[in-house]
């Protein structure tokens, strides 16, 4: 069973609030990812990281930011949430160099911005 | 550019019937291909993967997929559906060889009728 955790699972907030979605993994994986998932749409990669102090933007432009100060932790922050940010956010991790294609996903954080 | 197309956003089968979920890819280089499954309110988990070894790939829970280069397809099948197979299934292709990022299709929701 994968050991990757996301909090909160569900969040309803008002426009303009700052939010941080937490993602932690205990597998020692170097690579971590954030995907945005909307019904009937592809999962879109918004951020990824190869390891500590590494962050890259994905193929979908996002107003969110990420940090990677510790291997196990990859939080995503929205400085000023808007209704267009309403979505499900999935965090995933992968052992670098494993060449398996197996990403381990958290259960997701469903964000609703009013 | 690499991408995946999943034909049919929703497939419904009777319990015990054949499951066939379609995936076509476009890739300028030999692809790495994957199927992931997402059960309600959970993250994605790997079902199976093709990485240029055997063209018929067996995965978990009785699923298998066949890589057909001439048809650029990687369809997912299971001989006999079970109620517990009801979930959303995502086909994915790996960019940039074995270390690239995953690109996901839009997903196919499988319903299983008793």
């Amino acid at each position: 069973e994968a050991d990757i955790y996301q909090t909160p699972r569900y969040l309803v907030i008002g426009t303009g609030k700052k939010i941080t979605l937490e993602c932690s993994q205990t597998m020692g994986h170097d690579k971590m990812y954030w995907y945005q998932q909307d019904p009937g749409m592809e999962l879109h990669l918004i951020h990824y990281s190869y390891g500590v102090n590494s962050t890259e933007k994905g193929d979908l432009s996002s107003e969110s930011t990420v940090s990677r100060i510790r291997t196990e932790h990859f939080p995503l922050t929205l400085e000023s949430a808007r209704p267009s940010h309403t979505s499900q956010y999935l965090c995933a991790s992968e052992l670098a160099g494993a060449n398996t294609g197996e990403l381990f996903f958290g259960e997701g954080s469903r964000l609703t911005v009013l | 550019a690499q991408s995946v197309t999943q034909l049919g956003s929703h497939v419904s089968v009777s319990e015990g019937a054949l499951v066939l979920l379609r995936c076509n890819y476009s890739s300028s280089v030999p692809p790495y291909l994957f199927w992931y499954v997402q059960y309600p309110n959970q993250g994605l988990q790997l079902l199976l993967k093709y990485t240029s070894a055997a063209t018929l790939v067996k995965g978990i829970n009785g699923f298998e997929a066949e890589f057909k280069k001439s048809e650029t397809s990687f369809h997912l099948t299971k001989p006999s559906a079970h109620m517990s197979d009801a979930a959303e299934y995502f086909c994915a292709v790996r960019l940039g060889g074995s270390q690239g990022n995953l690109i996901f299709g839009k997903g196919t929701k499988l319903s299983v009728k008793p």
Side-chain angles (χ1 to χ4, degrees), chain A residues 9-10 31 33 35 37 40 42-43 45 48 90 94 99-103 105-107, chain B residues 32 34 36 38 41-44 46 49 88 90 94 98-102 104-106:
Chain A
R9 289 290 312 280
Y10 303 93
K31 293 187 77 172
Y33 306 83
Y35 285 88
Q37 183 181 27
E42 301 91 337
L43 273 73
L45 180 65
Y48 60 102
L90 292 173
E94 179 186 17
N99 194 23
T100 64
E102 181 164 12
L103 272 60
F105 281 83
E107 292 184 318
Chain B
Y32 289 74
F34 309 87
Y36 279 78
Q38 184 179 32
N41 298 315
Q42 294 187 26
L44 282 71
L46 183 68
K49 62 181 185 282
E88 190 153 21
F90 292 89
R94 187 130 220 175
S98 63
Q99 300 302 314
N101 294 321
L102 286 180
F104 286 87
K106 292 185 177 182

Side-chain angles (χ1 to χ4, degrees), chain B residues 6-114:
Chain B
Q6 291 185 241
L7 301 175
S9 59
H10 192 188
V11 170
S12 181
V13 300
S14 298
E15 192 172 20
L18 171 72
V19 175
L20 171 61
L21 305 181
R22 299 177 187 274
C23 173
N24 288 88
Y25 69 92
S26 64
S27 174
S28 56
V29 296
Y32 289 74
L33 293 160
F34 309 87
W35 277 99
Y36 279 78
V37 60
Q38 184 179 32
Y39 297 102
N41 298 315
Q42 294 187 26
L44 282 71
Q45 66 180 90
L46 183 68
L47 259 185
L48 51 79
K49 62 181 185 282
Y50 167 76
T51 56
S52 74
T55 56
L56 182 62
V57 181
K58 294 188 184 298
I60 61 172
N61 302 335
F63 283 93
E64 61 183 37
E66 186 172 9
F67 172 69
K68 291 187 176 181
K69 185 178 179 180
S70 61
E71 299 177 6
T72 62
S73 68
F74 190 57
H75 301 331
L76 182 71
T77 60
K78 182 174 180 177
S80 177
H82 193 271
M83 297 296 291
S84 61
D85 294 328
E88 190 153 21
Y89 294 80
F90 292 89
C91 185
V93 64
R94 187 130 220 175
L95 277 178
S98 63
Q99 300 302 314
N101 294 321
L102 286 180
I103 294 179
F104 286 87
K106 292 185 177 182
T108 299
K109 186 166 288 188
L110 175 67
S111 300
V112 182
K113 298 174 291 188

Side-chain angles (χ1 to χ4, degrees), chain A residues 21-40:
Chain A
L21 304 180
E22 303 286 352
C23 177
S24 295
Q25 51 96 4
T26 59
M27 297 172 282
H29 288 173
D30 294 307
K31 293 187 77 172
M32 294 190 74
Y33 306 83
W34 277 104
Y35 285 88
Q36 188 170 332
Q37 183 181 27
D38 295 302

